[in-house]
Amino acid sequence: LVEGMSRLRAMDALRRVYDGKHLNVKHIHHAQAKTVEIISKSSLMGTELDGEYGQGQTLRFDVKQGTLNLLS
């Protein structure tokens, strides 16, 4: 979750994701969850996940145990 950060600072933090240094940025919060739901109070939110585009006022992401293989 990114809050209280300008787009420029958010983009700077985004480049740090690959080495994990984004977790030390003041306005970035992280947690582990099986389900994440984002609800917009006013407008539709656009998404792009793995080349698939969508939009909605409520976005829900579920992670199914054992189905996501990550390289380390």
Side-chain angles (χ1 to χ4, degrees):
L1 173 64
V2 177
E3 69 177 333
M5 181 183 286
S6 70
R7 286 186 182 188
L8 181 60
R9 285 190 50 113
M11 292 301 294
D12 181 56
L14 185 60
R15 69 181 176 84
R16 302 172 194 219
V17 167
Y18 293 102
D19 59 10
K21 292 182 180 175
H22 68 291
L23 300 176
N24 297 324
V25 176
K26 181 180 179 182
H27 297 286
I28 294 181
H29 311 283
H30 70 282
Q32 293 182 354
K34 292 180 182 178
T35 301
V36 175
E37 189 169 71
I38 304 168
I39 302 169
S40 172
K41 293 181 181 180
S42 59
S43 61
L44 294 176
M45 298 175 285
T47 64
E48 186 275 321
L49 298 167
D50 197 26
E52 299 293 325
Y53 296 93
Q55 64 180 5
Q57 204 161 3
T58 300
L59 302 175
R60 180 184 171 114
F61 304 93
D62 295 306
V63 177
K64 304 296 182 190
Q65 187 174 357
T67 60
L68 183 62
N69 295 318
L70 300 176
L71 301 175
S72 56

